[in-house]
Amino acid sequence: MKKLMIFFAGAVCATSVMAGLYGDTPTDKHAWAVHDMNRPNPKKISAEPGVPPSDAIVLFDGTQESFEKNWCNDKGGPTKWKFVNGTLESVARAGNICSRQTFGDVQLHVEWQPPVKVSGSGQGRGNSGVFLLGGMYEVQVLDSWETDPDNMKNPNYADGQAGAVYGQNPPLVNPTRKPGEWQVYDIVFHQPIFDGDKLVHPGSLTVFLNGVLVQDHWELEGPTLHCRRTSQSKPKGTKGSIQFQDHGNPVHFRNVWVRELPSRYANTTHGKFLAKDADVMALRKEIAAKLFAKIDLNNPRKHDVIAQIFEVFAYDKDEKYVAAMKRVCEPWLKEISAWDKETAVQHKGELFHVRNAANVLHRNKVIDDNCTVRNGVNAVIKKYDLK
Ligand code: MG
């Protein structure tokens, strides 16, 4: 952004509209100031204990209706999985059960239950899995009750136990409960991001098992496979079903809900990853125009008007805003420079607002040392030693 012209480079802080200049101002990479009151607040949702958040898509709520409506086999036809006592039960050789709706980045909640009596060993003990993006990535489901190094009754490979990103990363700890008890997954999945064929980010999995963090933003090496290392070699689609694995063991699932997440790369106007100067500036200009349209340039409280225009400057210093500032600040500066001490004391709050707001702008190099308004205000404050 170009530097302000000397004469118009001061600022006055009005109590309401200048809150946007309370913190550091917008930059080439940030459309918003720090603590910016003009920045939209997030949508309010409800999140009560024991029920899905109000913006969640409930895929299975324990009813046959939600089972039949939301789930299918991998061909889109009826699944052979069973609806049993308000749960989904895997059936050997039925194949994975798949959500009819497809998803990209998600927060996923699902509860699962290994058989009460687990037969078999290793990967045969209540094996299933939670798959993201149409079967690409598996968070392992398995009885892992006795795989602790100090109580190894059930030897297993670490990258294949419950909480593992299968074949890639073991869970940080093993917080599983006994066979037959319900286990809870809360999963945050971000898919790989490609720019054309170029990989920008490999995607990630964050997993809480029974409320305990077991995968801490694990960056995916590639699709999860048995025995094989993989890589994120090329784009494979941005949406896919959520699936639960048929691995031949009777595992139950319940309380399945999902929240669709915006891509972390979707916001190109505030700092992170793919911030684009052009997008940032376009939004800044839009904000500036909206703010300027609300200003009554004939308001006799000139310090308020100056403050409002300077808030606009923080986003955009278009010549029309500069011209408006000139019209307002010239008579105001003339007025305050003529104040006697009593008047200055009486209006010192207005002066301090100007000084403080100017300092924010000056600190952020929106205005420079030659700012006439800042210098004029400081001259009056210094002249009468106002505190
Ligand atoms: Mg599995």
Side-chain angles (χ1 to χ4, degrees):
M1 292 176 68
K2 60 188 178 184
K3 287 284 183 71
L4 266 185
M5 295 173 66
I6 294 172
F7 194 83
F8 324 112
V12 181
C13 185
T15 52
S16 58
V17 295
M18 287 301 286
L21 293 185
Y22 174 65
D24 284 348
T25 54
T27 69
D28 291 344
K29 299 294 183 186
H30 298 81
W32 308 105
V34 177
H35 312 319
D36 194 332
M37 290 295 287
N38 297 307
R39 193 175 190 176
N41 289 92
K43 177 185 175 186
K44 179 73 177 71
I45 65 166
S46 67
E48 300 300 325
V51 297
S54 60
D55 65 344
I57 298 168
V58 178
L59 294 178
F60 182 63
D61 62 2
T63 65
Q64 179 134 11
E65 180 186 5
S66 68
F67 167 53
E68 294 174 354
K69 175 185 173 186
N70 295 320
W71 298 93
C72 59
N73 64 23
D74 61 2
K75 303 289 191 298
T79 177
K80 292 183 179 177
W81 282 47
K82 290 192 262 182
F83 173 72
V84 179
N85 297 327
T87 72
L88 304 174
E89 181 181 298
S90 64
V91 174
R93 292 177 295 282
N96 292 355
I97 191 172
C98 309
S99 66
R100 291 189 182 278
Q101 189 170 345
T102 58
F103 303 94
D105 295 1
V106 291
Q107 175 187 351
L108 172 65
H109 175 96
V110 54
E111 301 171 20
W112 53 276
Q113 180 194 46
V116 176
K117 289 188 177 180
V118 186
S119 58
S121 60
Q123 291 290 302
R125 294 178 63 84
N127 195 331
S128 181
V130 176
F131 284 91
L132 289 306
L133 209 65
M136 297 277 286
Y137 308 103
E138 180 184 9
V139 179
Q140 177 68 303
V141 165
L142 190 75
D143 165 51
S144 301
W145 174 243
E146 293 176 319
T147 59
D148 190 283
D150 298 326
N151 185 24
M152 187 62 79
K153 295 180 182 176
N154 177 25
N156 214 330
Y157 46 83
D159 63 10
Q161 70 176 77
V165 176
Y166 186 72
Q168 294 189 15
N169 197 44
L172 295 169
V173 291
N174 178 1
T176 52
R177 298 165 181 156
K178 293 179 180 177
E181 295 191 11
W182 284 95
Q183 324 269 345
V184 181
Y185 268 152
D186 288 287
I187 297 170
V188 178
F189 168 68
H190 287 287
Q191 64 183 294
I193 298 293
F194 289 86
D195 182 7
D197 285 336
K198 180 186 175 187
L199 182 67
V200 176
H201 192 278
S204 65
L205 274 164
T206 297
V207 179
F208 290 84
L209 173 52
N210 295 329
V212 176
L213 181 68
V214 293
Q215 296 291 340
D216 183 9
H217 196 74
W218 172 254
E219 293 189 354
L220 295 158
E221 295 180 356
T224 55
L225 291 179
H226 182 55
C227 291
R228 301 292 184 186
R229 295 196 196 284
T230 60
S231 62
Q232 303 289 31
S233 56
K234 57 185 178 180
K236 296 182 178 67
T238 57
K239 286 200 169 187
S241 60
I242 290 166
Q243 301 182 9
F244 303 142
Q245 185 185 36
D246 163 27
H247 201 281
N249 304 138
V251 180
H252 293 79
F253 293 84
R254 70 180 185 186
N255 292 336
V256 186
W257 54 260
V258 63
R259 297 179 61 247
E260 295 182 291
L261 302 176
S263 168
R264 292 165 298 162
Y265 295 84
N267 183 352
T268 59
T269 63
H270 196 73
K272 294 285 187 180
F273 303 119
L274 296 184
K276 296 178 180 175
D277 292 8
D279 290 353
V280 170
M281 199 60 230
L283 181 53
R284 288 175 60 171
K285 284 183 173 293
E286 180 182 323
I287 299 163
K290 286 180 181 176
L291 291 172
F292 189 72
K294 295 177 182 176
I295 299 175
D296 176 8
L297 296 174
N298 296 316
N299 183 345
R301 292 172 58 87
K302 293 186 181 64
H303 59 280
D304 279 348
V305 178
I306 291 170
Q308 290 172 308
I309 298 174
F310 267 102
E311 184 178 26
V312 173
F313 280 168
Y315 298 94
D316 182 24
K317 291 182 283 190
D318 187 277
E319 289 298 329
K320 65 185 175 187
Y321 307 142
V322 174
M325 174 63 90
K326 181 177 181 180
R327 289 199 300 276
V328 176
C329 75
E330 277 182 334
W332 187 74
L333 287 171
K334 189 175 180 181
E335 178 185 338
I336 66 170
S337 65
W339 282 350
D340 58 20
K341 183 170 185 179
E342 183 180 356
T343 306
V345 170
Q346 187 180 353
H347 293 275
K348 70 176 183 180
E350 298 169 15
L351 299 174
F352 288 154
H353 271 311
V354 173
R355 192 259 327 259
N356 294 344
N359 284 347
V360 173
L361 294 175
H362 186 260
R363 185 179 80 229
N364 286 274
K365 300 184 178 3
V366 177
I367 60 176
D368 59 29
D369 292 340
N370 298 316
C371 166
T372 302
V373 174
R374 180 170 178 261
N375 292 342
V377 167
N378 278 332
V380 177
I381 291 173
K382 185 176 181 181
K383 179 180 178 182
Y384 298 120
D385 193 26
L386 299 178
K387 291 185 172 52

